[in-house]
Amino acid sequence: SALSAVAARLEATPMSVALAWLLRRSPNILLIPGTSSTAHLRENIAGAGLSLSHEDLTELDDISR
């Protein structure tokens, strides 16, 4: 999938990329990711720090169409 491809390029997890993508989509989105473990918390924090290129965003936007 596109999400996995972008994650592989960025050496990140798909969940981190998904969070980064949602954060970039709109300033009106309020994300409240659940965390059931320390590993999930690390993934969430990593997503907030990911930089997505214009090409990454375009590829991910195609998922929602």
Side-chain angles (χ1 to χ4, degrees), residues 6 11 14-15 20 22 27 41 44 47 55 58:
V6 172
E11 298 180 356
M15 182 57 72
L22 290 171
L41 177 60
N44 295 343
E55 292 78 20
T58 301

Side-chain angles (χ1 to χ4, degrees), residues 4-60:
S4 295
V6 172
R9 280 197 307 271
L10 297 174
E11 298 180 356
T13 66
M15 182 57 72
S16 294
V17 172
L19 288 172
W21 176 43
L22 290 171
L23 287 168
R24 291 282 308 268
R25 288 197 63 167
S26 172
N28 298 330
I29 292 176
L30 175 62
L31 296 175
I32 306 173
T35 301
S36 59
S37 68
T38 306
H40 286 151
L41 177 60
R42 286 189 190 108
E43 260 186 326
N44 295 343
I45 292 168
L50 277 179
S51 295
L52 300 175
S53 69
H54 177 70
E55 292 78 20
D56 294 334
L57 292 170
T58 301
E59 190 172 347
L60 293 168

